[in-house]
Amino acid sequence: MVFKRLLGAMGAGGPSVDTVLDGGAVAPGGILSGQVHLQGGSADVEIEHIGLELIARVEAEYEDGESEGAVVFERFTVGGGFRLAEQERHSVPFSVSLPWETPVSELYGQPLGIVLGVRTELAVAGARDKGDLDPLAVRPLPVQEAVLEALGQLGFGFKSADLEHGHIGGTGQQLPFYQEIELTPAPQYAHVVNEIELTFLATPAGMEIVLEADKRGGLFEPGQDALTRFTVSHHDVGTRDWNSEVDGWIRQLVEHRASYDSHATYGHADPYAAGSEYGHHSAHGSGHASDHESGHGSGHEGHRSFEGDDDEGGEED
C-alpha cells in the first residue's frame, strides 16, 4: 500500500513523501507499522513534523436526511526535527497502536464496505501538506470473529455495515462514531424481527456487544426496536459455546421488549424514551463535530472528528 505525492506547499522542487504500510490486515488495538520514505528536493529543508492520521468515512443522520464525511479518529507524530538535504533519501520507520474501537473492515479477507485509511502529513518551513488516503485493512479480534461465526452458524446473514456518527448511551464508547453490522434474521427468528444490528465496542480487557432488533409488528400493533448489551472478555474465546451463548442473547433480545440482561446497566426503560441515557445518542442529532481528547502515550495526539474541512484534516465528498 503506497502513496506518493509532491509537496505542493514547497513547489516543484520540494521534497516528496512515499509512505508504505507493512502488509496484511491489523486487528483493533494491534500494531500498525511501516515506513515513511522521504526524497529531498532541489534545496535543503527542515522537516519539522511527520504525522499520521487515521480516517474513517462516517454517516451522520439529521431530521431531514443524512450526510457522509471523513472523520479523523486518531493522530500520531512519527518523526520530525531533522534536516533533509538536497536530493537526500531518508526513511522513518513507525509503529503505532490502533484504537481498540477501530472498526472492522474485512471478515475472512472479504471487505465489509467500511472505508478506512491512513494519511501522512509533512510540515516543512511552517507549511503543512497532506498525502492521499492509503487504505487501511482491519480484521476482527478473536472474540469478534467468534460472535460473527456463531451468528452465521445460527443462520443469520450479513446485510451491510456502516459507521454512524454519535454515541451509544450507557456504554464506554470512546470514538465519536460506532460501527453497525446489519444482519438478516435466521429462519427461526424471521417471524419476529426484520433485522439485527450488532455493534462491538472493544477495550483492552474485553468487549461490549450491543444488539438491537428491529421487531416486526402485529396486526394491530406497530413494530418497535429492542436493545440490549453484553460484556465478554478476550480470554473467553476458547472457553464458551458461542453458538449457544449468542443464541441466548438473541432469544433474550426478541422475547423481552424493554427488559435487559443483568450483565447490562440499562435497567427497565425504553431505550429511546426522551431523556433516556440508553439510546443511540447523538446519532440523530445536529451532526456537529465532536472532540475527544485523551493521552495514551508519546506520539499520540488524541481523537478529533470533523467533516469536510481540508485545513483540519477532513476530506471533501
Side-chain angles (χ1 to χ4, degrees), residues 87-302:
Q87 299 301 316
E88 178 187 359
R89 294 180 181 271
H90 184 82
S91 295
V92 178
F94 63 84
S95 181
V96 297
S97 297
L98 293 185
W100 281 95
E101 289 181 15
T102 300
V104 175
S105 67
E106 65 174 50
L107 181 63
Y108 304 122
Q110 298 298 311
L112 300 180
I114 299 298
V115 178
L116 302 175
V118 180
R119 185 165 57 194
T120 304
E121 179 183 74
L122 201 61
V124 179
R128 290 174 180 255
D129 210 354
K130 296 176 180 179
D132 299 323
L133 199 63
D134 194 41
L136 172 63
V138 179
R139 67 176 186 270
L141 290 160
V143 168
Q144 294 171 321
E145 187 171 318
V147 171
L148 291 168
E149 176 66 22
L151 286 165
Q153 291 188 14
L154 290 170
F156 291 87
F158 175 77
K159 181 178 179 181
S160 66
D162 58 20
L163 304 181
E164 297 282 346
H165 188 270
H167 287 77
I168 302 177
T171 70
Q173 181 186 341
Q174 299 294 308
L175 295 184
F177 59 84
Y178 55 91
Q179 181 174 21
E180 276 191 348
I181 299 174
E182 297 182 0
L183 305 168
T184 57
Q188 63 269 33
Y189 296 111
H191 64 292
V192 290
V193 296
N194 294 307
E195 68 178 22
I196 298 289
E197 294 177 351
L198 167 68
T199 295
F200 294 113
L201 298 173
T203 70
M207 187 93 52
E208 288 182 274
I209 299 170
V210 181
L211 290 169
E212 182 176 356
D214 177 12
K215 301 183 71 173
R216 296 187 186 277
L219 182 60
F220 301 105
E221 182 181 345
Q224 61 178 257
D225 291 341
L227 185 75
T228 191
R229 176 177 65 90
F230 302 87
T231 301
V232 298
S233 166
H234 294 298
H235 301 296
D236 290 337
V237 174
T239 63
R240 296 196 184 191
D241 178 347
W242 287 103
N243 284 18
S244 178
E245 185 91 12
V246 173
D247 191 48
W249 295 348
I250 300 297
R251 287 182 181 278
Q252 180 174 306
L253 179 65
V254 300
E255 290 173 0
H256 302 282
R257 293 172 183 250
S259 296
Y260 302 114
D261 187 80
S262 59
H263 291 93
T265 59
Y266 286 76
H268 298 273
D270 180 355
Y272 294 100
S276 169
E277 66 178 22
Y278 306 122
H280 289 225
H281 287 193
S282 302
H284 306 286
S286 63
H288 290 300
S290 62
D291 290 352
H292 173 79
E293 301 286 349
S294 64
H296 296 279
S298 61
H300 180 291
E301 299 186 4

Side-chain angles (χ1 to χ4, degrees), residues 33-48:
S33 59
Q35 294 199 45
V36 178
H37 301 298
L38 300 174
Q39 170 70 57
S42 58
D44 295 359
V45 294
E46 293 293 331
I47 304 297
E48 299 167 355

